PDB file of all heavy atoms in Angstrom:
ATOM      1  N   VAL L 377       9.426   3.150  10.532  1.00  0.00           N
ATOM      2  CA  VAL L 377       9.328   2.727   9.111  1.00  0.00           C
ATOM      3  C   VAL L 377      10.192   1.597   8.818  1.00  0.00           C
ATOM      4  O   VAL L 377       9.721   0.650   8.152  1.00  0.00           O
ATOM      5  CB  VAL L 377       9.618   3.937   8.253  1.00  0.00           C
ATOM      6  CG1 VAL L 377       9.762   3.521   6.746  1.00  0.00           C
ATOM      7  CG2 VAL L 377       8.468   5.027   8.326  1.00  0.00           C
ATOM      8  N   HIS L 378      11.396   1.674   9.292  1.00  0.00           N
ATOM      9  CA  HIS L 378      12.286   0.442   9.008  1.00  0.00           C
ATOM     10  C   HIS L 378      11.748  -0.824   9.629  1.00  0.00           C
ATOM     11  O   HIS L 378      11.825  -1.923   8.984  1.00  0.00           O
ATOM     12  CB  HIS L 378      13.681   0.738   9.560  1.00  0.00           C
ATOM     13  CG  HIS L 378      14.550   1.549   8.656  1.00  0.00           C
ATOM     14  ND1 HIS L 378      15.051   1.021   7.441  1.00  0.00           N
ATOM     15  CD2 HIS L 378      14.898   2.880   8.582  1.00  0.00           C
ATOM     16  CE1 HIS L 378      15.752   1.826   6.821  1.00  0.00           C
ATOM     17  NE2 HIS L 378      15.658   3.054   7.492  1.00  0.00           N
ATOM     18  N   ARG L 379      11.262  -0.710  10.889  1.00  0.00           N
ATOM     19  CA  ARG L 379      10.743  -1.903  11.553  1.00  0.00           C
ATOM     20  C   ARG L 379       9.525  -2.491  10.750  1.00  0.00           C
ATOM     21  O   ARG L 379       9.404  -3.661  10.662  1.00  0.00           O
ATOM     22  CB  ARG L 379      10.357  -1.546  12.969  1.00  0.00           C
ATOM     23  CG  ARG L 379      10.014  -2.733  13.825  1.00  0.00           C
ATOM     24  CD  ARG L 379       9.903  -2.468  15.266  1.00  0.00           C
ATOM     25  NE  ARG L 379       8.740  -1.486  15.580  1.00  0.00           N
ATOM     26  CZ  ARG L 379       9.000  -0.223  15.888  1.00  0.00           C
ATOM     27  NH1 ARG L 379      10.210   0.257  16.004  1.00  0.00           N
ATOM     28  NH2 ARG L 379       7.978   0.596  16.199  1.00  0.00           N
ATOM     29  N   LEU L 380       8.690  -1.604  10.229  1.00  0.00           N
ATOM     30  CA  LEU L 380       7.526  -2.102   9.589  1.00  0.00           C
ATOM     31  C   LEU L 380       7.706  -2.425   8.073  1.00  0.00           C
ATOM     32  O   LEU L 380       7.079  -3.314   7.667  1.00  0.00           O
ATOM     33  CB  LEU L 380       6.433  -1.010   9.672  1.00  0.00           C
ATOM     34  CG  LEU L 380       5.877  -0.656  11.070  1.00  0.00           C
ATOM     35  CD1 LEU L 380       4.824   0.503  10.911  1.00  0.00           C
ATOM     36  CD2 LEU L 380       5.283  -1.863  11.783  1.00  0.00           C
ATOM     37  N   PHE L 381       8.550  -1.729   7.458  1.00  0.00           N
ATOM     38  CA  PHE L 381       8.667  -1.807   6.021  1.00  0.00           C
ATOM     39  C   PHE L 381       9.985  -2.558   5.506  1.00  0.00           C
ATOM     40  O   PHE L 381       9.966  -2.854   4.283  1.00  0.00           O
ATOM     41  CB  PHE L 381       8.587  -0.417   5.381  1.00  0.00           C
ATOM     42  CG  PHE L 381       7.231   0.109   5.337  1.00  0.00           C
ATOM     43  CD1 PHE L 381       6.723   0.899   6.411  1.00  0.00           C
ATOM     44  CD2 PHE L 381       6.403  -0.130   4.284  1.00  0.00           C
ATOM     45  CE1 PHE L 381       5.404   1.350   6.409  1.00  0.00           C
ATOM     46  CE2 PHE L 381       5.054   0.418   4.232  1.00  0.00           C
ATOM     47  CZ  PHE L 381       4.581   1.169   5.367  1.00  0.00           C
ATOM     48  N   ASP L 382      10.928  -2.806   6.309  1.00  0.00           N
ATOM     49  CA  ASP L 382      12.097  -3.452   5.800  1.00  0.00           C
ATOM     50  C   ASP L 382      11.774  -4.871   5.251  1.00  0.00           C
ATOM     51  O   ASP L 382      12.285  -5.233   4.230  1.00  0.00           O
ATOM     52  CB  ASP L 382      13.222  -3.628   6.867  1.00  0.00           C
ATOM     53  CG  ASP L 382      14.009  -2.385   7.005  1.00  0.00           C
ATOM     54  OD1 ASP L 382      13.785  -1.508   6.240  1.00  0.00           O
ATOM     55  OD2 ASP L 382      14.896  -2.308   7.891  1.00  0.00           O
ATOM     56  N   PRO L 383      10.801  -5.643   5.827  1.00  0.00           N
ATOM     57  CA  PRO L 383      10.459  -6.862   5.262  1.00  0.00           C
ATOM     58  C   PRO L 383       9.826  -6.722   3.922  1.00  0.00           C
ATOM     59  O   PRO L 383       9.950  -7.524   2.960  1.00  0.00           O
ATOM     60  CB  PRO L 383       9.471  -7.535   6.280  1.00  0.00           C
ATOM     61  CG  PRO L 383       9.771  -6.864   7.605  1.00  0.00           C
ATOM     62  CD  PRO L 383      10.249  -5.460   7.255  1.00  0.00           C
ATOM     63  N   VAL L 384       8.986  -5.654   3.723  1.00  0.00           N
ATOM     64  CA  VAL L 384       8.389  -5.365   2.509  1.00  0.00           C
ATOM     65  C   VAL L 384       9.402  -5.097   1.435  1.00  0.00           C
ATOM     66  O   VAL L 384       9.369  -5.486   0.228  1.00  0.00           O
ATOM     67  CB  VAL L 384       7.377  -4.269   2.616  1.00  0.00           C
ATOM     68  CG1 VAL L 384       6.609  -3.988   1.274  1.00  0.00           C
ATOM     69  CG2 VAL L 384       6.395  -4.490   3.682  1.00  0.00           C
ATOM     70  N   ILE L 385      10.393  -4.220   1.819  1.00  0.00           N
ATOM     71  CA  ILE L 385      11.426  -3.890   0.841  1.00  0.00           C
ATOM     72  C   ILE L 385      12.279  -5.158   0.432  1.00  0.00           C
ATOM     73  O   ILE L 385      12.542  -5.350  -0.776  1.00  0.00           O
ATOM     74  CB  ILE L 385      12.460  -2.887   1.550  1.00  0.00           C
ATOM     75  CG1 ILE L 385      11.709  -1.507   1.684  1.00  0.00           C
ATOM     76  CG2 ILE L 385      13.685  -2.725   0.726  1.00  0.00           C
ATOM     77  CD1 ILE L 385      12.617  -0.516   2.445  1.00  0.00           C
ATOM     78  N   GLU L 386      12.542  -6.000   1.403  1.00  0.00           N
ATOM     79  CA  GLU L 386      13.279  -7.165   1.087  1.00  0.00           C
ATOM     80  C   GLU L 386      12.495  -8.109   0.095  1.00  0.00           C
ATOM     81  O   GLU L 386      13.081  -8.660  -0.880  1.00  0.00           O
ATOM     82  CB  GLU L 386      13.588  -7.990   2.386  1.00  0.00           C
ATOM     83  CG  GLU L 386      14.478  -9.223   2.099  1.00  0.00           C
ATOM     84  CD  GLU L 386      14.826  -9.899   3.484  1.00  0.00           C
ATOM     85  OE1 GLU L 386      14.550  -9.349   4.529  1.00  0.00           O
ATOM     86  OE2 GLU L 386      15.381 -11.007   3.385  1.00  0.00           O
ATOM     87  N   ARG L 387      11.212  -8.305   0.429  1.00  0.00           N
ATOM     88  CA  ARG L 387      10.331  -9.172  -0.454  1.00  0.00           C
ATOM     89  C   ARG L 387      10.358  -8.568  -1.890  1.00  0.00           C
ATOM     90  O   ARG L 387      10.457  -9.323  -2.915  1.00  0.00           O
ATOM     91  CB  ARG L 387       8.964  -9.335   0.084  1.00  0.00           C
ATOM     92  CG  ARG L 387       8.842 -10.244   1.302  1.00  0.00           C
ATOM     93  CD  ARG L 387       7.409 -10.698   1.634  1.00  0.00           C
ATOM     94  NE  ARG L 387       6.553  -9.578   1.844  1.00  0.00           N
ATOM     95  CZ  ARG L 387       6.395  -8.959   2.993  1.00  0.00           C
ATOM     96  NH1 ARG L 387       6.967  -9.431   4.025  1.00  0.00           N
ATOM     97  NH2 ARG L 387       5.486  -7.951   3.046  1.00  0.00           N
ATOM     98  N   SER L 388      10.131  -7.300  -1.968  1.00  0.00           N
ATOM     99  CA  SER L 388       9.905  -6.689  -3.276  1.00  0.00           C
ATOM    100  C   SER L 388      11.267  -6.665  -4.005  1.00  0.00           C
ATOM    101  O   SER L 388      11.231  -6.870  -5.251  1.00  0.00           O
ATOM    102  CB  SER L 388       9.503  -5.152  -3.073  1.00  0.00           C
ATOM    103  OG  SER L 388       8.247  -5.117  -2.437  1.00  0.00           O
ATOM    104  N   ALA L 389      12.345  -6.474  -3.373  1.00  0.00           N
ATOM    105  CA  ALA L 389      13.644  -6.530  -4.050  1.00  0.00           C
ATOM    106  C   ALA L 389      13.963  -7.813  -4.667  1.00  0.00           C
ATOM    107  O   ALA L 389      14.555  -7.950  -5.705  1.00  0.00           O
ATOM    108  CB  ALA L 389      14.793  -6.168  -3.110  1.00  0.00           C
ATOM    109  N   LYS L 390      13.417  -8.971  -4.036  1.00  0.00           N
ATOM    110  CA  LYS L 390      13.712 -10.252  -4.562  1.00  0.00           C
ATOM    111  C   LYS L 390      12.909 -10.528  -5.836  1.00  0.00           C
ATOM    112  O   LYS L 390      13.336 -11.423  -6.684  1.00  0.00           O
ATOM    113  CB  LYS L 390      13.226 -11.360  -3.467  1.00  0.00           C
ATOM    114  CG  LYS L 390      14.223 -11.453  -2.268  1.00  0.00           C
ATOM    115  CD  LYS L 390      13.700 -12.445  -1.379  1.00  0.00           C
ATOM    116  CE  LYS L 390      14.632 -12.609  -0.139  1.00  0.00           C
ATOM    117  NZ  LYS L 390      14.153 -13.500   0.890  1.00  0.00           N
TER     118      LYS L 390
END
Side-chain angles (χ1 to χ4, degrees):
V377 168
H378 277 285
R379 188 168 64 251
L380 296 178
F381 285 88
D382 277 358
V384 183
I385 292 173
E386 184 177 353
R387 288 196 302 270
S388 298
K390 288 179 179 177

